[in-house]
Amino acid sequence: MHEQNMAILKGLVPVAWADGRFADEEQQVIEALLDAFQATPEEAELLNSYAATPRTVDDIPISELSFDDRRVLLQHAVFLSHVDGDPSEPERVLIEQMAKLMRIPDDEAKQLLEAANERAKRYMNML
């Protein structure tokens, strides 16, 4: 698995923990992304160990993410916030903090978040 993909997955862990619990549905998304990114068993174990502890926005490995990776992470974060129901207030706040921390301009972040929310709502109805 590429290092950037591990950084994206680590960046999703704070979103999963934002509401104080790491829901089974969120774990399933992480597992699916591990498969999609072709993680080795060792990489999967490393991420699962990392995710076992509550994480915050300060734990996101920003320096390991490219310009494009930061946008991918933000969109994945929105999707993850929807998998266990409507996004909670702590999840929404954390995602907004992520956008600022990753230095995504406000106008661009707003567009990315709106598009990602619409996409997530559409796909959640398919599950």
Side-chain angles (χ1 to χ4, degrees):
M1 175 168 62
H2 294 286
E3 292 176 14
Q4 297 89 348
N5 290 338
M6 179 62 85
I8 288 169
L9 292 172
K10 284 183 174 181
L12 291 174
V13 172
V15 179
W17 279 107
D19 59 2
R21 64 184 185 90
F22 197 134
D24 290 340
E25 299 91 345
E26 293 164 330
Q27 180 62 42
Q28 290 171 3
V29 169
I30 298 291
E31 292 296 326
L33 288 169
L34 283 165
D35 287 341
F37 291 153
Q38 300 177 336
T40 65
E42 294 80 17
E43 290 167 331
E45 177 57 34
L46 177 71
L47 184 71
N48 287 327
S49 293
Y50 179 84
T53 303
R55 303 291 175 166
T56 69
V57 70
D58 294 328
D59 294 311
I60 297 172
I62 301 298
S63 64
E64 297 173 30
L65 296 166
S66 71
F67 177 89
D68 291 333
D69 294 333
R70 292 172 187 208
R71 283 135 184 91
V72 169
L73 171 56
L74 190 63
Q75 292 178 42
H76 279 37
V78 171
F79 185 83
L80 186 65
S81 74
H82 281 267
V83 299
D84 62 342
D86 288 334
S88 67
E89 182 64 19
E91 288 170 327
R92 284 191 296 273
V93 168
L94 186 129
I95 290 169
E96 289 173 9
Q97 290 173 339
M98 287 174 68
K100 290 189 183 315
L101 183 69
M102 293 188 295
R103 296 187 179 128
I104 299 173
D106 290 343
D107 290 344
E108 181 184 1
K110 181 181 178 189
Q111 290 176 346
L112 285 169
L113 293 173
E114 287 174 0
N117 272 302
E118 288 303 313
R119 191 176 309 114
K121 288 174 188 175
R122 226 177 15 253
Y123 291 131
M124 290 305 121
N125 291 332
M126 296 175 153
L127 298 179

